[in-house]
Amino acid sequence: RKEEVGEAQRWKVAEQKRRAEQRAADQKRAQRAAEQQQRVAEQRAAQQKWRAEQLGKIAALLPRLRCDDDANRREAFAEFKALGLRSTFYHNGKRSCYFPPHGSCGSFVFDPSAEELEMPTLLELRRAGFTASEAYNEGYRSLPEMRAAGYSLPQLLQLRSIYASSLGVVRGCNASWLEIATELTSEQFESIVRELKMDELRGALESLGVDKSGRTKVTLIDRLLQFGWRTRAAPPAAASGIDMLAEEAKQDVCAVALSDEVETLRAKLGVEQQARKQQADEVALLQAAAQRAWQESKRREAAASTLVVAADELDQGAFLRRFVAFRQYVEMLLQYLPSKTARNKPWRLTVRRNQLCQDVVGHFSPAIKAADTKLKLFQRTEVTFVDVHGSKEEGEDLGGLTVELYSCFFREVLLADFGLFEGAGDDASTSIGLLPSPTADLQSMNNIGRIMCRCVLDDQPLGRGLGRFVFEFLADAHEWRVFKDVHSALAVLSDFDPELSQRWAQLLVQPPAGLTLDLFDPDAAEEEVPPESAALERAVLAGCRHKLLTIREASLRALCDGFTETIDLRLQLGALSAAELLRMLRGNTELSCEELLACFAWPDASVSAEAKAGFAAAGSDAPRYLREIILDESPETGLGSLGRLHLLEWATALTALPCGGLKDPINLKLYEGADEHDLPNVHTCTHEVHLPPYATREQLRAKLLLAVEHRHDGFQIE
């Protein structure tokens, strides 16, 4: 009797201790949440204060920039540059300005007219010391505009590397040969003459001589003769002392010799450059092969040293059959379940880009009537985005804006700022897939479950981010597939916390003594685990259950309730294997070169497609360059694995390739009216990519990577 009483007292003390620890943990989590909210509020206040300070500095500097005192004006311009102000894109036809990120304050965009700030013109900036290169970097790309602002031809020649040559700058300025001959030095003039062909030389000579003295034409002839006969034994006599007709004849002879010599040198240079390029490509391929071999050996070593069981291999043929059967079942539901109103009346969603998650979660909140909530699940959506200025973005939703909405939502809702999902530890970057937070708002999780159900019905892949255990729980397969044995549990845990999974797997190889059960499951009693494989496997399995399920079960239940509220697909999803379930819901997030290549409808497939694309008529090889870039697996000269996925997202707004592939391929078309300085354009609704007639593969790759980098900017990108 005494032993029983003592045992009961010990159990009571342990239970009180456990409850006290649980309360302390809850208080600590609540304190961390309050601290996070306070940090966010302080950051916003600091950003508002910083914004006001920067605008005040601009307002104080503008009068000094327009004063007549050169020293004061240049000093003000130096302070103006130090602010880091940028103005590189347009919105609704007006130039907007923005400050880049500064410390923890982030960046902000503002409209000068709304702030009653009259920003300095290019002429005023030039008077203050704004160089031509700085003007180009700040978005002033029009050479005639820069010329009108007072920049001389020698100053604009600083941009010759951007416009390929000095002659390109001169042509862009629409400068006359009279201005060229009078403003440029002899060396600069010779560099331009060196690039001229015979017909251009004659045109230059015919356009000069408009001055009364005729000295400009004589000067050009004299320089042409000196340049053309430089390598010969004896230079001719000065052009100024020879009859004009004789000089024109000599000019023709020298120009022909110069043109032939230049063409010969260019041909030799082209052969040498091609040989060097082939050699560099071979070296790059060898280096890439060696790098892949080293990575493969490291991967095999890591796989051999761990007991963590990876997801079972995907049988592509069997999976496609099950996927088609699943889609047929879903299409049958979509044919008979929706009402006439749901089929005919679109669901119009207005979403602010700076409040995207809150707006989307609010749209999927349960309606007053249950029938209205069900109606939203089947209605065709028409999305309208609102930019940071409060203006509705142009664009008709033919499917592309809806896809972009889902992609942006599942990218932003996983951020730690919203407190709905979490990774392992304080740094969630170590996690492959995130899980619902134990302290997440249950109503928000319920709404996210409805959004996930809508994505499954629309065959919209969710992409990277959500953890594997979330999908297993939604398919109601977690008990019999994840927690059936310790190796399956560790495989799923490795998706959430790879480091912890690796440590526990190493314990199974050599079970140490002195371990207690509470080290794996904090809610368990502090009893010692025997140094035996079976006992340690039970302890590790309990720890996996605690990490994956126990502490976050309420959030997972709320997510599952929203997912199965209208249509319960758990039976159909549970019939898939773990790898098949991941592929169906996440989509293909590891695109090969061939898979991405198959997403495009290439113009050379048929004569009609080639004529419709327009590249052949313009003499452009841009489609061939794009194909070579996609097939190049090197991240330095091609795209790389992550770059291929980003290209797919830029062209279609999809963060992963659906299991059945794209419904409509990506069509390539010539970007009419654009040149090599413009970025390629994309229409995600119709899966169209418009490419300017780039002259080289390197130009296409550089502009394509820049456009892909800004794929999340919406309609603001120029």
Side-chain angles (χ1 to χ4, degrees):
R1 178 64 177 176
K2 290 181 179 180
E3 291 177 355
E4 292 177 354
V5 171
E7 182 66 23
Q9 291 177 347
R10 285 192 297 272
W11 180 87
K12 184 176 181 181
V13 170
E15 179 67 17
Q16 292 175 349
K17 180 180 179 182
R18 187 190 67 81
R19 292 180 179 178
E21 292 175 350
Q22 181 65 32
R23 287 194 297 272
D26 293 341
Q27 293 175 356
K28 187 175 181 181
R29 281 195 295 268
Q31 182 180 0
R32 285 201 300 268
E35 292 175 352
Q36 176 67 17
Q37 293 178 355
Q38 182 179 0
R39 284 195 298 270
V40 170
E42 292 175 352
Q43 184 177 1
R44 289 177 178 172
Q47 185 177 20
Q48 294 295 331
K49 180 180 178 181
W50 178 62
R51 174 190 175 102
E53 292 176 353
Q54 297 300 96
L55 294 178
K57 291 179 181 179
I58 293 176
L61 287 174
L62 289 179
R64 295 174 58 192
L65 283 172
R66 297 187 173 94
C67 68
D68 296 330
D69 186 0
D70 290 343
N72 190 12
R73 187 170 60 238
R74 293 184 180 276
E75 182 181 353
F77 178 66
E79 297 178 13
F80 189 78
K81 288 173 60 178
L83 294 178
L85 185 65
R86 296 291 184 268
S87 56
T88 58
F89 63 89
Y90 289 81
H91 176 72
N92 291 338
K94 297 181 180 179
R95 179 179 294 275
S96 299
C97 301
Y98 76 96
F99 281 94
H102 174 75
S104 61
C105 295
S107 61
F108 73 89
V109 182
F110 68 95
D111 183 1
S113 60
E115 300 292 341
E116 297 182 357
L117 296 175
E118 185 179 355
M119 301 303 289
T121 63
L122 182 57
L123 176 61
E124 294 171 341
L125 292 175
R126 184 194 62 77
R127 292 178 59 224
F130 210 44
T131 65
S133 299
E134 292 173 333
Y136 183 87
N137 294 332
E138 290 301 321
Y140 295 97
R141 305 297 168 83
S142 174
L143 289 176
E145 181 184 359
M146 299 173 69
R147 182 78 167 148
Y151 287 99
S152 63
L153 286 179
Q155 291 174 332
L156 294 178
L157 286 182
Q158 300 174 3
L159 306 176
R160 58 180 175 272
S161 60
I162 300 174
Y163 290 90
S165 65
S166 301
L167 183 60
V169 176
V170 171
R171 287 172 175 166
C173 294
N174 297 325
S176 67
W177 282 101
L178 182 61
E179 295 173 330
I180 296 171
T182 54
E183 292 189 30
L184 300 183
T185 63
S186 299
E187 292 77 8
Q188 293 171 337
F189 192 89
E190 272 191 356
S191 66
I192 294 176
V193 171
R194 192 179 298 115
E195 302 174 23
L196 293 177
K197 299 291 182 63
M198 183 61 190
D199 55 346
E200 293 175 321
L201 286 170
R202 287 177 175 170
L205 285 170
E206 291 174 0
S207 64
L208 295 176
V210 295
D211 56 333
K212 295 180 179 180
S213 64
R215 292 302 305 167
T216 306
K217 186 172 184 179
V218 173
T219 302
L220 179 59
I221 294 174
D222 197 11
R223 290 179 178 175
L224 283 174
L225 290 174
Q226 292 176 5
F227 178 74
W229 290 94
R230 175 177 296 172
T231 58
R232 288 159 177 76
S240 58
I242 304 176
D243 190 317
M244 200 61 180
L245 295 176
E247 291 301 329
E248 289 181 354
K250 290 182 180 180
Q251 176 266 326
D252 289 340
V253 174
C254 294
V256 171
L258 173 62
S259 179
D260 294 340
E261 185 177 355
V262 170
E263 289 297 329
T264 303
L265 291 176
R266 284 179 176 173
K268 292 181 179 179
L269 181 61
V271 173
E272 293 176 358
Q273 289 179 344
Q274 186 67 22
R276 287 197 295 268
K277 183 177 181 301
Q278 291 179 356
Q279 184 179 4
D281 291 343
E282 292 175 358
V283 172
L285 289 175
L286 291 175
Q287 291 177 348
Q291 181 71 12
R292 288 195 299 271
W294 178 81
Q295 292 177 351
E296 180 66 18
S297 64
K298 298 297 289 183
R299 187 188 66 79
R300 290 176 179 176
E301 291 176 3
S305 63
T306 180
L307 290 178
V308 177
V309 180
D312 49 338
E313 294 294 332
L314 185 66
D315 185 347
Q316 193 67 29
F319 167 63
L320 286 179
R321 288 192 294 270
R322 280 190 280 270
F323 170 73
V324 171
F326 176 80
R327 291 309 307 173
Q328 288 177 345
Y329 173 75
V330 171
E331 294 300 329
M332 182 186 67
L333 294 179
L334 296 179
Q335 183 178 0
Y336 293 104
L337 290 183
S339 62
K340 183 177 180 180
T341 303
R343 292 192 182 95
N344 300 328
K345 182 181 179 181
W347 182 20
R348 294 182 174 87
L349 288 79
T350 301
V351 178
R352 298 167 294 176
R353 285 196 179 272
N354 56 352
Q355 300 288 334
L356 188 140
C357 287
Q358 293 89 330
D359 288 352
V360 175
V361 171
H363 283 305
F364 279 86
S365 298
I368 299 177
K369 298 181 180 180
D372 294 339
T373 304
K374 181 179 179 181
L375 182 67
K376 292 180 180 180
L377 199 63
F378 301 113
Q379 284 181 286
R380 176 177 58 85
T381 55
E382 289 185 0
V383 177
T384 301
F385 285 106
V386 178
D387 60 20
V388 295
H389 302 284
S391 302
K392 291 185 178 181
E393 296 182 358
E394 298 178 357
E396 181 181 359
D397 189 4
L398 301 178
L401 296 182
T402 296
V403 173
E404 182 181 0
L405 172 72
Y406 291 141
S407 300
C408 293
F409 174 76
F410 282 105
R411 182 179 67 251
E412 296 182 12
V413 78
L414 301 179
L415 298 177
D417 296 341
F418 294 98
L420 298 177
F421 293 87
E422 67 174 5
D426 296 331
D427 185 10
S429 61
T430 58
S431 299
I432 301 174
L434 306 182
L435 298 180
S437 172
T439 59
D441 180 65
L442 299 184
Q443 184 58 57
S444 298
M445 297 304 299
N446 190 262
N447 297 344
I448 295 174
R450 296 190 189 92
I451 300 173
M452 294 177 65
C453 181
R454 178 64 188 259
C455 289
V456 173
L457 296 180
D458 292 347
D459 196 16
Q460 164 76 26
L462 302 178
R464 303 172 185 263
L466 286 175
R468 174 181 168 183
F469 186 75
V470 174
F471 304 133
E472 297 285 356
F473 190 87
L474 293 180
D476 199 18
H478 58 288
E479 289 293 345
W480 60 270
R481 189 154 64 193
V482 176
F483 300 129
K484 67 176 181 179
D485 56 56
V486 65
H487 302 306
S488 301
L490 284 176
V492 178
L493 180 63
S494 64
D495 186 67
F496 173 68
D497 194 341
E499 296 181 0
L500 180 61
S501 176
Q502 185 70 22
R503 290 200 305 270
W504 284 357
Q506 291 175 353
L507 293 178
L508 296 177
V509 178
Q510 294 180 346
L515 297 177
T516 56
L517 189 59
D518 61 324
L519 295 177
F520 302 94
D521 184 0
D523 295 336
E526 189 178 352
E527 61 179 77
E528 185 175 355
V529 179
E532 300 174 357
S533 298
L536 193 56
E537 287 181 1
R538 289 193 297 271
V540 171
L541 188 60
C544 292
R545 177 182 289 275
H546 176 80
K547 275 283 183 183
L548 297 173
L549 177 62
T550 305
I551 61 175
R552 64 188 84 252
E553 186 170 5
S555 300
L556 286 168
R557 293 290 179 193
L559 186 71
C560 185
D561 290 343
F563 185 76
T564 60
E565 181 180 34
T566 303
I567 299 178
D568 192 348
L569 299 174
R570 287 179 293 182
L571 181 62
Q572 288 73 25
L573 294 176
L576 302 172
S577 66
E580 292 172 344
L581 184 64
L582 275 182
R583 175 61 65 88
M584 178 176 291
L585 297 183
R586 279 184 179 174
N588 187 359
T589 59
E590 298 291 340
L591 287 180
S592 65
C593 298
E594 292 73 16
E595 289 172 334
L596 180 57
L597 205 66
C599 295
F600 286 83
W602 297 98
D604 56 2
S606 64
V607 177
S608 60
E610 188 175 28
K612 187 177 180 180
F615 294 100
S620 174
D621 289 332
R624 178 171 64 85
Y625 298 149
L626 179 61
R627 189 196 302 266
E628 293 175 357
I629 292 172
I630 292 176
L631 290 176
D632 191 347
E633 296 185 359
S634 172
E636 288 76 17
T637 56
L639 293 177
S641 177
L642 192 58
R644 290 192 289 272
L645 197 62
H646 290 168
L647 176 59
L648 176 71
E649 182 182 0
W650 173 70
T652 63
L654 290 168
T655 56
L657 183 65
C659 300
L662 297 180
K663 297 179 181 178
D664 298 311
I666 304 171
N667 295 301
L668 299 179
K669 290 188 177 181
L670 179 66
Y671 196 170
E672 298 181 357
D675 56 21
E676 65 272 11
H677 303 297
D678 293 314
L679 293 178
N681 195 10
V682 66
H683 300 278
T684 56
C685 289
T686 56
H687 288 189
E688 289 184 2
V689 173
H690 293 204
L691 296 177
Y694 296 117
T696 63
R697 169 181 166 178
E698 289 72 19
Q699 280 184 350
L700 173 58
R701 181 177 181 273
K703 296 296 184 181
L704 183 64
L705 292 181
L706 182 59
V708 170
E709 181 182 356
H710 292 272
R711 63 191 181 278
H712 298 149
D713 291 356
F715 289 93
Q716 296 180 358
I717 185 171
E718 281 287 345

